[in-house]
Amino acid sequence: MLQIAEGPVTAERYRLLVESVTDYAIYMLDPQGTVISWNPGARRFKGYEDHEIIGQSFSRFYTEEDRAAGLPERALRMAAEEGRFEKEGWRVRKDGTRFWAHVVIDPILNPGTGRVLGYAKVTRDLTERREAEQALRRSEERFRLLVQGVTDYAIYMIDRDGLVTNWNAGAQRIKGYCPDEIVGRHFSLFYRPEDRANGEPERALQTAIDKGSFEKEGWRLRKNGEAFWAHVVMDPIRDDAGEIIGFAKITRDLTERRKVEADLETAREALFQAQKIEALGQLTGGVAHDFNNLLTAVMGSLELVRRQISDERQLGLIDNAIKGASRGISLTQRMLSFARKQELELQPVAADVLVAEMGDLLQRSLGPLIQIETNFPADLVMAAADPNQLETAVLNLAFNARDAMPEGGVLRIGGSNERVSGGHRIGLPEGDYVRISVADTGTGMDVKTLAQATEPFFTTKGVGKGTGLGLSMVHGMAEQLGGRLQLDSILGQGTTVEIWLPSSTGATAVDAALALAPAAAFDTATRPLTVLAVDDDALVLMNTTALLEDLGHKVIEASSGREALSVLESNEIDLLITDHAMPQMTGAQLITVVGERWPALPVILATGYADLPAGAGAGVLRLSKPFWQADLEKAVSGAMARRTTAAAA
């Protein structure tokens, strides 16, 4: 409250002070609330000149609703009774506009009697500040609603000690805690026990303090204990003095994205492996084809030379060379199998019968330390396969199993009928298959070895103990037949190899078998023939010529398809023997032209490849490279017998 100051000098100073203030309306009221003084500040933001307001009731500054409620009178009464009245509220300017005011009313008392002589009233215009505060509140509310509305991110704050202080809807969705379950608890609750033990939460806080931010991906825990892969960002929150008062923490659940990335990486790796195997297959097939040609020349020459030698020592050396060539034939056959270029004799095969007939051979080959167990269902359907190749495949797998069980063990061979539908683990087209499994209890393979197991020439055996083509041959055979090779192995626990083959469809498989079956044995006593031999490899051509001439036939040589057509136009030819893989005009193309112009001419297609173009050599007798003279003689007899049969028909 105010008391009247004594003395003219002091009163004048107060007047000058009040008159100089423009940011506050400072004026006086009499006991009834009539304005009796008016300063420049009052004129500035209330709009009244002195003569317009002095003598008027201060109640005109109030809104109509406040006047109707008796607020002006109540303000004076409270000031008189309580010694002060202070409040904020709406007031009205001269022009009728409203402003937000902070009002202080102090009673002016007579020092002697204590009687109220009037009131000192100070008003400040806080409209701009109020609008700023309201704008800030609206902004904070919008931000709060924004944060609460986010469900893809966990957004929350923790205090300086790491205790959770608020919790948004995204945090509840991702982590599973309701606000009342987590607010006030330490954020380390979201870390795995091993991470807490390693001090990971404390390091995160310290990193945010030291570097101004912390960002990392890692495993976090939901309320139910489930781990999820999270991306975490933590930023320190500072007050006006720069002191850290807490941290803002944003967490995003990236589990699904990580899974997709892992699946994509797996797919990329599978594609890379497939491309690598395909490239190796192309290389291996090309090498095997060229090696076949070399072996053809070597074998034929050795056979012919052997007949001209009588010295026992020299015969022994030649026989040794023939054995080496035979091993080379086996090697090229395996290489072609891996490359899926081996000629297969497709027919329905009863896998259980095939394995049963191999029983004695398997037991003798594996030795007494290996126990063989078989498990085939009674209703096992037939597989569409080459029985010889399948038998060789089972033998190869059995030998691998034996080598993986040097101290002995159990070899289990079994089978089952399988139906493959979309999304099946084996990745084969939909249909019916026969699954043949060969499992051992041996040393098994680690992940790296397993990934390389089907690559050609890869072996874990010692030098000279394996070609590295066993599994690759089985892999190639299965793929060529429209099936799949599946390997599963655990180091120290054994290996299981599955061969998936299409099931035989009865007549269809039988027809296919007949179409690919080798020609039946015919009478080898054939009259001398004029034979046209075609091959772009001079060594092979010379060998074929020598073998045919040794059989008593006359041979005309041609090194290309076009040269062969020229020979046919000017000579009487009884039989055509041609290679397939030749530049400019392939053997298949040559056979097509010959079939149109000389349809009665017997033809033998000599090749080491199985994957000829569709229709190539249809109905033509095929001679697989490399071949012995007996194979060539049988093919010649068969071709001539076919012509005789066709002519008789």
Side-chain angles (χ1 to χ4, degrees):
M1 63 184 67
L2 298 177
Q3 294 183 346
I4 298 176
E6 297 181 358
V9 175
T10 302
E12 179 63 18
R13 286 178 179 173
Y14 275 122
R15 187 187 65 78
L16 291 174
L17 173 64
V18 171
E19 287 295 323
S20 67
V21 173
T22 58
D23 288 338
Y24 291 82
I26 303 175
Y27 53 98
M28 294 179 64
L29 308 175
D30 67 14
Q32 288 74 41
T34 302
V35 178
I36 59 176
S37 70
W38 198 245
N39 82 323
R43 288 196 295 271
R44 185 179 68 82
F45 61 78
K46 293 200 177 188
Y48 294 95
E49 296 296 328
D50 296 13
H51 67 276
E52 294 177 312
I53 195 61
I54 292 177
Q56 302 293 322
S57 174
F58 85 109
S59 62
R60 68 168 48 194
F61 307 138
Y62 286 76
T63 62
E64 290 184 6
E65 52 268 32
D66 286 344
R67 288 200 300 271
L71 184 57
E73 294 79 8
R74 194 161 55 250
L76 295 181
R77 187 171 60 254
M78 290 178 65
E81 293 174 355
E82 299 179 10
R84 183 181 181 84
F85 173 83
E86 184 175 2
K87 193 172 184 181
E88 290 186 5
W90 288 110
R91 297 296 183 266
V92 181
R93 306 183 202 275
K94 175 185 175 181
D95 61 8
T97 59
R98 295 186 178 193
F99 67 99
W100 189 259
H102 175 263
V103 176
V104 176
I105 301 175
D106 287 305
I108 302 172
L109 305 177
N110 186 311
T113 64
R115 184 171 60 88
V116 174
L117 300 176
Y119 299 92
K121 194 167 186 295
V122 181
T123 304
R124 188 179 184 187
D125 185 354
L126 299 182
T127 306
E128 291 184 358
R129 191 190 75 176
R130 185 175 187 272
E131 290 177 350
E133 289 175 348
Q134 287 189 330
L136 178 60
R137 280 196 296 271
R138 287 194 298 269
S139 175
E140 289 175 345
E141 180 63 16
R142 284 195 295 268
F143 182 73
R144 186 187 67 80
L145 292 174
L146 171 64
V147 170
Q148 284 299 325
V150 172
T151 58
D152 287 339
Y153 292 81
I155 304 175
Y156 57 99
M157 294 175 64
I158 56 179
D159 65 16
R160 187 66 174 77
D161 297 322
L163 301 179
V164 177
T165 59
N166 57 44
W167 197 246
N168 82 324
Q172 182 171 336
R173 185 188 69 83
I174 292 173
K175 301 199 177 188
Y177 294 93
C178 294
D180 59 351
E181 294 177 312
I182 194 63
V183 172
R185 302 178 70 179
H186 201 273
F187 84 108
S188 61
L189 188 67
F190 311 134
Y191 286 75
R192 298 182 300 174
E194 57 267 34
D195 293 333
R196 290 198 296 269
N198 292 333
E200 184 69 23
E202 293 76 13
R203 269 197 304 276
L205 293 178
Q206 194 59 48
T207 301
I209 294 172
D210 296 341
K211 298 185 177 180
S213 183
F214 170 81
E215 183 173 0
K216 191 176 182 181
E217 289 188 7
W219 291 109
R220 296 294 184 269
L221 297 179
R222 308 189 203 276
K223 176 185 175 182
N224 62 7
E226 177 188 353
F228 68 99
W229 188 257
H231 174 262
V232 177
V233 177
M234 187 188 303
D235 293 304
I237 302 172
R238 300 178 185 271
D239 61 15
D240 294 338
E243 293 295 322
I244 294 177
I245 59 175
F247 301 87
K249 199 164 184 293
I250 301 176
T251 303
R252 189 178 185 189
D253 184 354
L254 299 182
T255 308
E256 189 61 31
R257 191 190 76 178
R258 190 170 189 265
K259 180 179 181 299
V260 170
E261 290 175 349
D263 291 344
L264 180 60
E265 185 60 31
T266 300
R268 285 175 179 164
E269 181 63 24
L271 177 60
F272 171 74
Q273 289 295 333
Q275 290 173 334
K276 181 173 72 172
I277 293 299
E278 184 64 26
L280 285 170
Q282 294 292 337
L283 174 63
T284 304
V287 170
H289 175 264
D290 291 342
F291 198 28
N292 263 340
N293 283 342
L294 295 175
L295 284 174
T296 299
V298 170
M299 288 161 49
S301 298
L302 288 172
E303 273 197 301
L304 294 176
V305 169
R306 191 182 190 288
R307 294 177 188 163
Q308 302 173 23
I309 299 297
S310 58
D311 182 86
E312 288 298 327
R313 184 174 181 278
Q314 292 179 348
L315 283 173
L317 293 174
I318 292 176
D319 287 341
N320 192 49
I322 290 175
K323 289 179 181 178
S326 297
R327 291 179 63 181
I329 292 173
S330 176
L331 180 63
T332 57
Q333 297 306 311
R334 292 189 176 194
M335 292 170 69
L336 286 170
S337 290
F338 168 74
R340 287 168 275 170
K341 298 180 184 295
Q342 173 66 37
E343 185 174 359
L344 300 176
E345 298 178 10
L346 186 65
Q347 57 185 275
V349 176
D352 50 348
V353 175
L354 182 141
V355 172
E357 292 176 346
M358 295 173 61
D360 291 341
L361 173 62
L362 284 170
Q363 194 61 73
R364 286 197 305 271
S365 302
L366 301 182
L369 296 179
I370 306 298
Q371 177 184 345
I372 301 175
E373 297 179 359
T374 58
N375 182 22
F376 290 94
D379 62 346
L380 186 68
V381 300
M382 289 191 172
D386 180 322
N388 294 323
Q389 290 292 326
L390 183 56
E391 181 176 314
T392 302
V394 173
L395 277 173
N396 270 311
L397 297 179
F399 292 155
N400 285 345
R402 176 200 60 193
D403 295 340
M405 298 184 288
E407 305 299 325
V410 180
L411 175 67
R412 297 182 177 92
I413 305 176
S416 62
N417 300 320
E418 302 289 344
R419 175 67 184 174
V420 172
S421 55
H424 194 281
R425 67 178 177 87
I426 200 64
L428 285 168
E430 294 187 9
D432 294 320
Y433 293 84
V434 176
R435 180 180 62 88
I436 303 168
S437 65
V438 179
D440 64 61
T441 57
T443 55
M445 293 179 276
D446 58 27
V447 175
K448 182 179 179 182
T449 304
L450 185 63
Q452 296 177 274
T454 58
E455 295 179 6
F457 308 114
F458 175 81
T459 180
T460 57
K461 301 174 183 178
V463 177
K465 295 183 179 180
T467 63
L469 286 170
L471 273 178
S472 61
M473 181 274 289
V474 181
H475 170 270
M477 178 206 70
E479 293 282 337
Q480 189 174 353
L481 289 170
R484 189 64 47 86
L485 178 72
Q486 180 74 25
L487 277 176
D488 289 299
S489 186
I490 299 177
L491 192 63
Q493 297 185 29
T495 300
T496 299
V497 184
E498 296 178 356
I499 305 174
W500 289 63
L501 299 174
S503 67
S504 169
T505 54
T508 302
V510 173
D511 292 342
L514 292 175
L516 292 178
F522 294 97
D523 184 5
T524 57
T526 304
R527 63 177 177 81
L529 305 172
T530 300
V531 181
L532 173 58
V534 188
D535 203 303
D536 64 320
D537 190 310
L539 289 176
V540 176
L541 184 59
M542 182 178 70
N543 174 77
T544 303
T545 299
L547 291 175
L548 287 168
E549 288 178 343
D550 187 65
L551 292 172
H553 304 300
K554 175 185 176 182
V555 182
I556 300 176
E557 297 180 349
S559 59
S560 68
R562 298 192 184 282
E563 184 180 347
L565 292 176
S566 178
V567 171
L568 286 169
E569 289 175 349
S570 56
N571 293 272
E572 289 291 331
I573 302 298
D574 298 311
L575 176 65
L576 169 65
I577 300 178
T578 179
D579 183 29
H580 171 65
M582 298 185 296
Q584 297 181 341
M585 177 181 285
T586 66
Q589 292 170 333
L590 172 62
I591 291 171
T592 300
V593 176
V594 169
E596 294 171 353
R597 298 174 59 181
W598 297 278
L601 180 64
V603 177
I604 297 174
L605 180 63
T607 180
Y609 282 115
D611 57 341
L612 300 177
V620 174
L621 188 64
R622 292 177 59 168
L623 176 62
S624 296
K625 288 184 178 179
F627 50 81
W628 300 101
Q629 188 178 41
D631 301 321
L632 177 60
E633 184 178 16
K634 185 182 296 185
V636 170
S637 299
M640 299 311 295
R642 284 190 177 187
R643 184 180 72 166
T644 301
T645 302

